[in-house]
Amino acid sequence: MPSNCPECGSSNVVEDDLYSQRQWVCVDCGSVVSEGHLTTTLSEETQGIAVPYHASTEESKKPCRNLIAGYSRVRALCRILRLSTDMESAVVSLFGRAYNHPNFIYVTLTKKEILGGCCVLSVCRQCNWPVAMGTVGYLLGVENATLGAVYREFTKALNIEISTVGIMDMLESFCYDFKLGPQQVEEVFAEPPQRLVDRTSALIELAADAWIVTGRHPLPLLVAAVYLAWQSLNPTVRMKYTLIKFCKIGQAPEQSWRRSRDSVVKRLKELRDVLCKLGRALPWLRGGTVEPNTVVQLVDDILKNRRALLMRAVRNYEHQLQNEAQPAQMTECDNKPSESNCSDSPSSKTPELIDPIQVECESPSDKEATDCQLPPNHWSKSHLFLPPCVKSRKRQRVDAPQPEVTGDEDISDSEIESYIRSQDEIEMYLKVQKKLKET
Amino acid sequence: MEQNSSHPPYPQVLASPPGAMTPSLPIFSPMMPYGTGLTPQPVQNTNSLSLLEEQQRQQQQQQQQQQQQAASQQQGGMVGGSGQTPQLYHSQVSTTTALPGNTPLYTTPLTPMTPITPATPASESSGIVPQLQNIVSTVNLGCKLDLKTIALRARNAEYNPKRFAAVIMRIREPRTTALIFSSGKMVCTGAKSEEQSRLAARKYARVVQKLGFPAKFLDFKIQNMVGSCDVKFPIRLEGLVLTHQQFSSYEPELFPGLIYRMIKPRIVLLIFVSGKVVLTGAKVRGEIYEAFENIYPILKGFRKTT
């Protein structure tokens, strides 16, 4: 506090505020000796400051732009898949939860989009609405593997119970996707969807009994089954149409066959083989040949009697295996796939079989295909219908004989020395490295 | 033992709350399909069980047999709510037994797909022994290492710091691979038995020693064991996932096998349609054998012969 006035030198200086500004004024000459600040700092003010956002009572946070974009994308997905409004709102709320979960709030935008697809998948499964992962992956433009990884993380983070969707659930909506109504295609191609569904479901049940379905992607199998079903409903006319032609006629949904054409062809072959095996057990054929290309004509009969035919085919196979167990004469027949040699063999002793010759002659060709890969007494030989992965093993795994060790043995120095470079080697290595770096 | 047989048949049912899985209780057990007609009999099990546990299991079997008969008479075509946790029993190690008189006769509705099961089926142990395929172990060499020196002076080492911050070293006998970190810690993989893993880890430590570092052999620990076997019949995975959905995950579009997470012992099994089973996540060999003995009766239930 100043005590002397610089103008007149008196020591009579009083504090006399001018409005809100502190001033020290000399009483004698009236000059202002010193004054305080006119303005105040923020920390000095106690009133009149705007309340900051974080201290306000504002509870709800405005959703960020990406979340809003995510919501609209998820809603679009629901509309494409034609989900009900309840399901759509469930998906949206689940997406909100997932987005704000600490595991997912900082991931890339693509992963957040995939997360939206996972929410759709999860809600569809909970409501038993059959949607394949391949469909959702196709809509998002990602592979199944990526989608699967995010889906697993998502179910673990949010503790959602996974329920599997079976191939039969997806069947009906898949069949209805094909446009085969009488107005859309010609009369010979037209097929009411319900008939197609019935025939296809019978075919898929048959395939499941013959172990073609388990462990495989469902969509290629569905395409193959629908194609065979459509052909078999009017075989005389439709037999000449290939799979690709059928997909074009019926305007099949592209994602089902475009990406996985090879798988569809393979499943088709497997289905036809199963139908041939059953067709051969038909009693009224009496030894006529059943070829994969023409088996479509018999599909109707086969499906009507499939239970009986399955049992019969398996029984025939078992009888035939028993006959083969008898030594000597059968081995000759096994190596020669020609029909005449087989019919000469004396081992067709089973009188209740109507076509033993047929069955015997079909099995040698099977055995030849598999003999080279499987050991002779492999357990799969005694089953007629098996998952294809068992019968076609490309490479035999040979387990090398394991040394018996105790873990605490002595380790020879020479062995360890063999793992260490000598000085010459090191020098050569350094030289080569230097040369490589220079170039 | 005598006091239990004089009691009226109470179900040895632990009514677990729907959807909950209390990890403290050992509540996993093998399941048998409904109505196969096999009466559970005392099992001459060759697993490493104590006599006491054997006796406990036999008691449970007898009581469950009586209860099953009573239930089948009164049950009729009762179809309960799906999605309930199936009736679960202690299988091999039982720390608690149901107190007679405390549990009511029908706690949760029974569905045909989740049958009451005896503790173990009538057959003996499967006779198949899973083979160990891979052992992962860790050891601390106890000193800081200079990875560049190791990579330069060892013949069997590769080191690419931009890709991975460890030296990858391999030896021929036992055929294994080791990851050696600059902190002195080492991971050894590829051995087919615990002893081989220990021997291999010692050999790596000896190599590092010979390269001039004061390596020791501290805290050797087996972290993971992987085994595999073949049950020799095809398996209906769709059926298995329906009856054991709390443990199984089967997505044919993602992976052709079924992933079964067993609670006791804590093992993950990959079950394939061809009948091959891969077991992983074990810390000791016995867990793999125990897990396989647990799953084998279940798989037999899903073996279907056309």
Side-chain angles (χ1 to χ4, degrees):
Chain A
M1 184 166 150
S3 48
N4 281 343
C5 170
E7 295 271 325
C8 62
S10 87
S11 58
N12 203 3
V13 176
V14 294
E15 186 182 336
D16 184 10
D17 295 346
L18 174 68
Y19 300 113
S20 60
Q21 187 177 19
R22 284 172 79 179
Q23 289 178 338
W24 285 270
V25 183
C26 171
V27 175
D28 299 331
C29 64
S31 62
V32 176
V33 178
S34 73
E35 55 188 3
H37 287 294
L38 185 61
T39 57
T40 53
T41 59
L42 196 63
S43 52
E44 290 165 354
E45 286 180 4
T46 47
Q47 287 177 349
I49 315 173
V51 176
Y53 183 73
H54 63 264
S56 72
T57 52
E58 174 90 29
E59 284 272 339
S60 60
K61 234 179 91 149
K62 233 174 88 182
C64 71
R65 251 178 306 169
N66 290 328
L67 180 58
I68 299 176
Y71 277 145
S72 61
R73 179 89 174 101
V74 155
R75 274 188 220 273
L77 278 176
C78 293
R79 294 212 181 115
I80 296 175
L81 294 169
R82 287 188 236 144
L83 305 182
S84 68
T85 33
D86 292 339
M87 287 171 68
E88 192 176 317
S89 49
V91 172
V92 167
S93 64
L94 185 59
F95 181 68
R97 263 179 62 202
Y99 189 95
N100 291 317
H101 194 275
N103 285 12
F104 295 114
I105 186 76
Y106 299 119
V107 299
T108 57
L109 285 177
T110 38
K111 199 163 177 191
K112 283 177 177 162
E113 196 181 333
I114 301 177
L115 194 64
C118 295
C119 296
V120 172
L121 246 185
S122 155
V123 169
C124 285
R125 287 210 174 162
Q126 280 170 11
C127 305
N128 282 330
W129 187 271
V131 169
M133 269 194 190
T135 313
V136 176
Y138 178 78
L139 287 173
L140 293 172
V142 293
E143 293 290 318
N144 265 1
T146 336
L147 179 62
V150 181
Y151 185 64
R152 283 222 179 98
E153 254 187 81
F154 161 77
T155 45
K156 214 191 285 189
L158 274 84
N159 277 329
I160 298 178
E161 257 190 41
I162 315 178
S163 54
T164 13
V165 59
I167 190 172
M168 301 302 286
D169 304 323
M170 291 196 269
L171 178 65
E172 202 171 319
S173 58
F174 188 78
C175 287
Y176 274 81
D177 269 340
F178 284 84
K179 298 182 182 51
L180 292 167
Q183 313 90 336
Q184 292 152 328
V185 289
E186 297 174 20
E187 188 53 47
V188 283
F189 301 143
E191 204 63 61
Q194 196 48 48
R195 255 188 104 200
L196 199 60
V197 168
D198 293 336
R199 183 52 69 93
T200 315
S201 63
L203 268 174
I204 298 241
E205 275 175 26
L206 185 63
D209 281 336
W211 296 102
I212 298 180
V213 174
T214 313
R216 263 87 177 280
H217 281 244
L219 283 177
L221 187 64
L222 280 175
V223 177
V226 167
Y227 170 58
L228 275 182
W230 175 80
Q231 270 193 330
S232 71
L233 286 168
N234 193 350
T236 41
V237 179
R238 297 177 186 168
M239 220 160 65
K240 61 178 189 277
Y241 289 97
T242 60
L243 174 67
I244 309 294
K245 268 243 176 76
F246 166 67
C247 291
K248 292 214 175 88
I249 293 172
Q251 294 171 56
E254 276 222 6
Q255 90 263 15
S256 52
W257 63 277
R258 185 55 77 90
R259 245 192 218 169
S260 50
R261 199 183 299 181
D262 298 329
S263 311
V264 178
V265 167
K266 279 190 207 146
R267 298 295 165 266
L268 204 51
K269 179 173 179 306
E270 285 168 3
L271 261 178
R272 283 190 176 134
D273 284 340
V274 167
L275 288 170
C276 285
K277 280 187 185 153
L278 289 181
R280 281 175 203 132
L282 280 173
W284 52 83
L285 279 186
R286 294 183 185 280
T289 50
V290 182
E291 289 299 315
N293 296 341
T294 54
V295 74
V296 175
Q297 296 157 325
L298 304 168
V299 167
D300 208 19
D301 294 333
I302 293 175
L303 287 177
K304 275 203 197 108
N305 309 307
R306 59 178 185 262
R307 293 271 155 232
L309 283 175
L310 268 172
M311 289 197 317
R312 190 189 207 115
V314 172
R315 217 183 25 210
N316 288 355
Y317 189 73
E318 279 167 8
H319 281 303
Q320 173 220 324
L321 278 183
Q322 280 170 15
N323 296 340
E324 276 167 24
Q326 295 160 21
Q329 287 123 352
M330 268 316 290
T331 49
E332 283 178 81
C333 177
D334 279 356
N335 293 334
K336 295 172 200 155
S338 58
E339 262 186 290
S340 53
N341 283 346
C342 283
S343 56
D344 285 341
S345 84
S347 58
S348 49
K349 292 192 183 90
T350 47
E352 64 264 29
L353 295 180
I354 291 185
D355 49 352
I357 300 166
Q358 190 64 45
V359 171
E360 279 171 12
C361 292
E362 65 115 343
S363 72
S365 49
D366 281 348
K367 282 188 83 160
E368 281 216 8
T370 55
D371 256 355
C372 45
Q373 287 132 12
L374 294 173
N377 51 353
H378 196 248
W379 62 270
S380 66
K381 294 279 161 65
S382 58
H383 294 256
L384 178 60
F385 291 111
L386 273 183
C389 55
V390 179
K391 284 213 152 125
S392 65
R393 248 199 322 183
K394 296 187 192 101
R395 188 166 52 112
Q396 270 269 48
R397 206 230 324 247
V398 179
D399 286 324
Q402 293 300 317
E404 287 297 319
V405 292
T406 61
D408 289 314
E409 294 139 328
D410 287 332
I411 304 172
S412 65
D413 271 349
S414 55
E415 189 188 344
I416 303 295
E417 291 289 330
S418 71
Y419 291 122
I420 301 183
R421 284 192 178 133
S422 63
Q423 200 54 35
D424 300 335
E425 276 181 42
I426 296 179
E427 283 169 11
M428 201 167 351
Y429 178 74
L430 286 173
K431 224 171 24 180
V432 169
Q433 243 193 353
K434 215 164 57 169
K435 272 213 176 117
L436 283 173
K437 270 205 197 130
E438 286 164 12
T439 56
Chain B
M1 197 166 160
E2 276 115 31
Q3 62 188 23
N4 270 349
S5 55
S6 65
H7 280 180
Y10 287 96
Q12 297 274 343
V13 175
L14 287 182
S16 42
M21 189 63 69
T22 42
S24 52
L25 291 176
I27 49 178
F28 174 75
S29 95
M31 297 213 152
M32 262 179 59
Y34 190 64
T36 50
L38 286 175
T39 44
Q41 283 154 22
V43 169
Q44 303 304 321
N45 211 321
T46 52
N47 283 356
S48 53
L49 291 175
S50 66
L51 263 180
L52 179 61
E53 291 160 5
E54 269 289 333
Q55 288 171 1
Q56 276 183 341
R57 211 151 30 85
Q58 286 175 17
Q59 292 164 35
Q60 284 176 15
Q61 282 171 15
Q62 286 164 11
Q63 290 178 2
Q64 280 148 26
Q65 187 180 0
Q66 291 162 353
Q67 187 242 338
Q68 193 173 8
Q69 285 168 2
S72 58
Q73 285 160 14
Q74 302 176 25
Q75 192 179 331
M78 198 161 87
V79 177
S82 58
Q84 289 282 354
T85 50
Q87 311 287 347
L88 297 172
Y89 295 90
H90 299 308
S91 62
Q92 288 167 350
V93 179
S94 40
T95 51
T96 63
T97 50
L99 304 167
N102 281 5
T103 51
L105 192 57
Y106 299 117
T107 46
T108 49
L110 303 164
T111 73
M113 293 295 270
T114 54
I116 297 176
T117 66
T120 13
S123 60
E124 303 108 14
S125 68
S126 56
I128 306 173
V129 179
Q131 296 299 314
L132 288 180
Q133 303 294 344
N134 184 24
I135 314 263
V136 177
S137 56
T138 53
V139 73
N140 186 1
L141 298 177
C143 63
K144 293 267 175 287
L145 303 173
D146 182 9
L147 299 184
K148 273 200 151 65
T149 315
I150 295 179
L152 176 64
R153 298 184 46 204
R155 278 190 185 138
N156 51 342
E158 58 183 87
Y159 179 48
N160 202 343
K162 289 188 195 142
R163 218 163 51 135
F164 190 55
V167 165
I168 302 171
M169 196 182 283
R170 297 183 167 87
I171 58 174
R172 290 177 287 268
E173 185 63 42
R175 216 159 78 87
T176 48
T177 306
L179 304 173
I180 306 178
F181 293 86
S182 54
S183 60
K185 300 243 170 85
M186 182 171 84
V187 179
C188 174
T189 64
K192 299 261 192 237
S193 79
E194 303 91 318
E195 298 86 20
Q196 283 183 28
S197 191
R198 190 184 165 83
L199 180 63
R202 282 175 57 223
K203 287 192 181 173
Y204 287 113
R206 187 71 81 79
V207 170
V208 170
Q209 244 178 19
K210 281 238 155 52
L211 290 175
F213 297 93
K216 300 183 267 296
F217 196 73
L218 310 168
D219 308 324
F220 175 77
K221 181 170 180 222
I222 295 197
Q223 301 290 354
N224 185 26
M225 302 174 74
V226 180
S228 74
C229 56
D230 189 356
V231 300
K232 301 205 184 339
F233 52 82
I235 302 169
R236 292 262 166 228
L237 300 179
E238 303 96 346
L240 182 58
V241 75
L242 278 178
T243 49
H244 291 74
Q245 60 193 39
Q246 310 96 312
F247 308 111
S248 336
S249 152
Y250 171 54
E251 297 283 345
E253 294 184 82
L254 294 181
F255 187 64
L258 187 149
I259 303 173
Y260 194 105
R261 291 177 196 273
M262 201 178 276
I263 309 262
K264 181 172 165 28
R266 251 185 81 91
I267 302 279
V268 173
L269 298 93
L270 304 176
I271 304 171
F272 295 90
V273 67
S274 56
K276 298 223 164 59
V277 180
V278 174
L279 307 98
T280 181
K283 289 273 197 290
V284 293
R285 193 185 274 249
E287 284 176 3
I288 292 201
Y289 295 154
E290 192 187 337
F292 182 67
E293 291 302 321
N294 284 350
I295 200 82
Y296 188 68
I298 301 176
L299 297 181
K300 273 212 300 197
F302 288 98
R303 157 197 220 161
K304 234 190 224 156
T305 49
T306 39

